[in-house]
Amino acid sequence: MSKLTDASVKLVQRYLPEPFIFAIVLTVVAALLAMPICRQTPVEVIENWGGGVWNLLAFSMQMALVLVSGSALASAPVIRRGISSLASLPKTPAGAIALVTSVSAVACWLNWGFGLIVGVVFAKEIARKLAGVDYRLLIASAYSGFVVWHAGISGSIPLTMATPGDSLAKATNGALTAPVPISHTILDLHNIVIVLAVIVAITIVNSLMHPKSGAVVVDPALLVEEPEEVKAVSATPAERLENSPVLSWVISLLGLSYLVVHLFVRGGAFDLNSVIMLFLFAGIVLHGTPVRYVRAFGKAASGASGILLQFPFYAGIMGIITGVGASGICFGTVISNACISISSPTTYPLLTFLCAALLNLFVPSGGGHWAIQAPIMFAAGADLGVDPGLTGTAIAWGDAWTNLIQPFWALPALAIARLNAKDIMGFCLIDLLVSGVIICIGLVVWAL
C-alpha cells in the first residue's frame, strides 16, 4: 500500500496543474473535440462557449452561499467546541484518519456543504492536537467523504426528480411525467448499501495509506489559527446594535420560522435554498451577535473565491458540451448516445454512471449533468425497462465519483487547510479506484 500511495502522490504532484489551469485545459480540450465530433466550426464553438459562460450565475451564487454560510456556521463557538472535543478522541494516526473519513462522509451524506466544511475543520483541529499524523492525508480523508454526497439527502438530482411540477417533464423530454420519490433513489436499500460499503472501504484504505513516521508531512505554520478580533464595546447606539444578541435572535427566528412554515406547513421541498437559509440563520444565532457573524462570514468568504472565478469557465465548457451548430449535433448527446448504443438493461446503469463520471470532469455540477443527460438518459432507460430511480442514481453517483480527481470542489477545503490540490489528490486517486469498484458492482447488482 505504501508503494502504491507514493507512486500515486508522485504522479499527481508531477502532472496535476493548479485548478484554474485545469479548467482552462478542459476548455481547450472540449473545444477541440467538439469541432470534429459535432462538425462545428470554430466560430460556432466560440459562440457556444461564450453563450454558456453566464448561464450558471444563479447556481454559482447558491454554491458560494452554501459554502460560506456552512463555513461560518462551523466556526461558531459552540460548534467549534464540539469539534474540539471530538478531535481529542483519536490516539493514533490511523485512528485519526479513520475518524475524519467517517465523520466527513456521514456529514456529506446529510448535507454536502456542511460536510465538506466540517470535515476539513475537524481534520485541521485533529492535526493541532495529535502529533505524528500526516496533515495532507488528513485533509484528503476529509475530502474523500465528499464522494457520497450525491447519493445523500442533499443530492441535487434525486431531489429534483422528487420535486413535482411541469419542469420535470420538460427537462426529461416527457420521459418523467410524475415525481420519483426519494424512497426509489436516496433511501433505496441498494443505494444505502453502496453508500455504507464506500464509507467503510475508504475509511480502511485511508487508514492504511498513512505513511511511516519518518515520511509524515506536517507544516506547523499551516495549523496556526488567526486570533479572533475582539473589539471593545462602545457606548454609541450603533455599536450597541452591532453587539446586540436580541437582533440576532429576532432575525434568526424570522428566517427559521419561515423555513418551518415552508417545509412543514406548505409541504415545500428541502432544496438548496432551504439549506442556505438553515445555515445562514443558525449561524447568526450561534455566533451570538450580528457583528461576530459578519466577521465570521467575511473570513469564510475567501473559501468561495475559487468557485466565483472558475464557475463561469465551467459554465462555458457546459455551453460547448450542450451547444449545437449547423450540424445539429450536441457533444453531450454524442457521449450519451455512445453509452446507450452498447447498453443492455443490466449494463445500462453502469454505463450511465461511467458516462456521467466522464462528463463530470468537464462539467463538475449536478445541475449541469441534469441539463445534459436528463433529456436523453431517462427516455433510453425507459425503453430498456430500467427504473428511473436507478437511472437518476447512476447519474448522481457518476457526478460525485470523479470529484475525487476533479479539484474544483476541493477548493473551499484547500482554502481552509492552506494546501494545494497536488497535496491531496494523490491519496484521492486511490480512493477513486476503490470506491469505483464498489459503485460499479452495486449498480450492476441493483439492475439485476
Side-chain angles (χ1 to χ4, degrees), residues 48-231:
N48 289 334
W49 176 81
V53 164
W54 308 119
N55 283 346
L56 294 178
L57 283 181
F59 189 60
S60 301
M61 188 63 175
Q62 287 177 313
M63 295 299 100
L65 281 173
V66 164
L67 290 166
V68 176
S69 61
S71 181
L73 175 60
S75 68
V78 64
I79 300 293
R80 291 197 69 91
R81 284 196 295 270
I83 291 174
S84 180
S85 298
L86 194 59
S88 301
L89 294 178
K91 305 303 179 184
T92 65
I97 297 299
L99 185 60
V100 166
T101 304
S102 55
V103 166
S104 173
V106 171
C108 285
W109 188 86
L110 293 172
N111 182 271
W112 70 267
F114 187 65
L116 183 61
I117 300 305
V118 166
V120 70
V121 171
F122 182 44
K124 197 168 183 177
E125 189 65 26
I126 284 181
R128 292 191 181 103
K129 291 178 174 291
L130 183 64
V133 61
D134 192 286
Y135 184 56
R136 304 166 306 162
L137 181 55
L138 266 177
I139 302 303
S141 299
Y143 181 63
S144 68
F146 191 56
V147 72
V148 303
W149 85 269
H150 217 154
I153 60 176
S154 66
S156 58
I157 288 177
L159 292 180
T160 299
M161 293 169 61
T163 303
D166 295 337
S167 60
L168 187 62
K170 183 178 179 181
T172 60
N173 281 338
L176 293 181
T177 56
V180 178
I182 61 172
S183 59
H184 290 197
T185 54
I186 298 168
L187 299 182
D188 188 282
L189 180 60
H190 296 89
N191 184 62
I192 293 174
V193 170
I194 296 172
V195 169
L196 292 175
V198 167
I199 293 176
V200 170
I202 63 174
T203 299
I204 294 172
V205 168
N206 286 345
S207 300
L208 293 175
M209 280 195 287
H210 195 274
K212 297 179 180 179
S213 57
V216 169
V217 175
V218 180
D219 183 353
L222 300 177
L223 304 178
V224 176
E225 186 175 7
E226 296 179 10
E228 184 178 351
E229 183 181 3
V230 179
K231 293 185 177 180

Side-chain angles (χ1 to χ4, degrees), residues 286-298:
L286 290 179
H287 275 279
T289 68
V291 72
R292 288 178 188 166
Y293 187 72
V294 168
R295 293 171 189 155
F297 199 90

Side-chain angles (χ1 to χ4, degrees), residues 16-24 310 314 407-408 411 414 420-421:
L16 181 68
E18 201 276 342
F20 181 50
I21 307 302
F22 191 70
I24 295 174
Q310 295 184 42
Y314 281 105
F408 178 72
L411 293 174
L414 294 170
N420 296 316

Side-chain angles (χ1 to χ4, degrees), residues 199-270:
I199 293 176
V200 170
I202 63 174
T203 299
I204 294 172
V205 168
N206 286 345
S207 300
L208 293 175
M209 280 195 287
H210 195 274
K212 297 179 180 179
S213 57
V216 169
V217 175
V218 180
D219 183 353
L222 300 177
L223 304 178
V224 176
E225 186 175 7
E226 296 179 10
E228 184 178 351
E229 183 181 3
V230 179
K231 293 185 177 180
V233 179
S234 175
T236 67
E239 291 184 331
R240 283 200 297 269
L241 285 174
E242 291 173 352
N243 290 277
S244 170
V246 174
L247 286 182
S248 291
W249 277 101
V250 168
I251 194 63
S252 297
L253 286 175
L254 180 64
L256 295 174
S257 296
Y258 167 78
L259 200 55
V260 170
V261 171
H262 172 70
L263 295 175
F264 301 105
V265 179
R266 304 301 180 192
F270 190 68

Side-chain angles (χ1 to χ4, degrees), residues 189-431:
L189 180 60
H190 296 89
N191 184 62
I192 293 174
V193 170
I194 296 172
V195 169
L196 292 175
V198 167
I199 293 176
V200 170
I202 63 174
T203 299
I204 294 172
V205 168
N206 286 345
S207 300
L208 293 175
M209 280 195 287
H210 195 274
K212 297 179 180 179
S213 57
V216 169
V217 175
V218 180
D219 183 353
L222 300 177
L223 304 178
V224 176
E225 186 175 7
E226 296 179 10
E228 184 178 351
E229 183 181 3
V230 179
K231 293 185 177 180
V233 179
S234 175
T236 67
E239 291 184 331
R240 283 200 297 269
L241 285 174
E242 291 173 352
N243 290 277
S244 170
V246 174
L247 286 182
S248 291
W249 277 101
V250 168
I251 194 63
S252 297
L253 286 175
L254 180 64
L256 295 174
S257 296
Y258 167 78
L259 200 55
V260 170
V261 171
H262 172 70
L263 295 175
F264 301 105
V265 179
R266 304 301 180 192
F270 190 68
D271 55 14
L272 205 52
N273 290 334
S274 300
V275 171
I276 294 169
M277 287 196 73
L278 177 62
F279 285 1
L280 180 63
F281 292 109
I284 291 173
V285 73
L286 290 179
H287 275 279
T289 68
V291 72
R292 288 178 188 166
Y293 187 72
V294 168
R295 293 171 189 155
F297 199 90
K299 186 177 179 180
S302 62
S305 61
I307 291 177
L308 298 178
L309 171 62
Q310 295 184 42
F311 227 106
F313 290 88
Y314 281 105
I317 295 172
M318 180 176 162
I320 296 173
I321 299 295
T322 59
V324 297
S327 64
I329 302 175
C330 165
F331 189 19
T333 302
V334 170
I335 296 175
S336 297
N337 285 338
C339 164
I340 293 169
S341 66
I342 58 174
S343 295
S344 68
T346 302
T347 62
Y348 184 72
L350 171 61
L351 293 171
T352 298
F353 161 72
L354 295 174
C355 176
L358 175 62
L359 284 171
N360 186 59
L361 294 175
F362 295 90
V363 187
S365 158
H369 279 261
W370 181 255
I372 294 170
Q373 295 191 277
I376 305 165
M377 306 308 286
F378 285 100
D383 291 340
L384 290 169
V386 178
D387 183 86
L390 176 53
T391 299
T393 305
I395 296 172
W397 271 112
D399 171 59
W401 181 51
T402 43
N403 282 333
L404 287 170
I405 55 170
Q406 219 299 1
F408 178 72
W409 287 114
L411 293 174
L414 294 170
I416 296 172
R418 295 162 65 187
L419 292 176
N420 296 316
K422 295 178 181 180
D423 295 320
I424 70 169
M425 286 296 167
F427 301 108
C428 291
L429 180 58
I430 305 296
D431 289 323

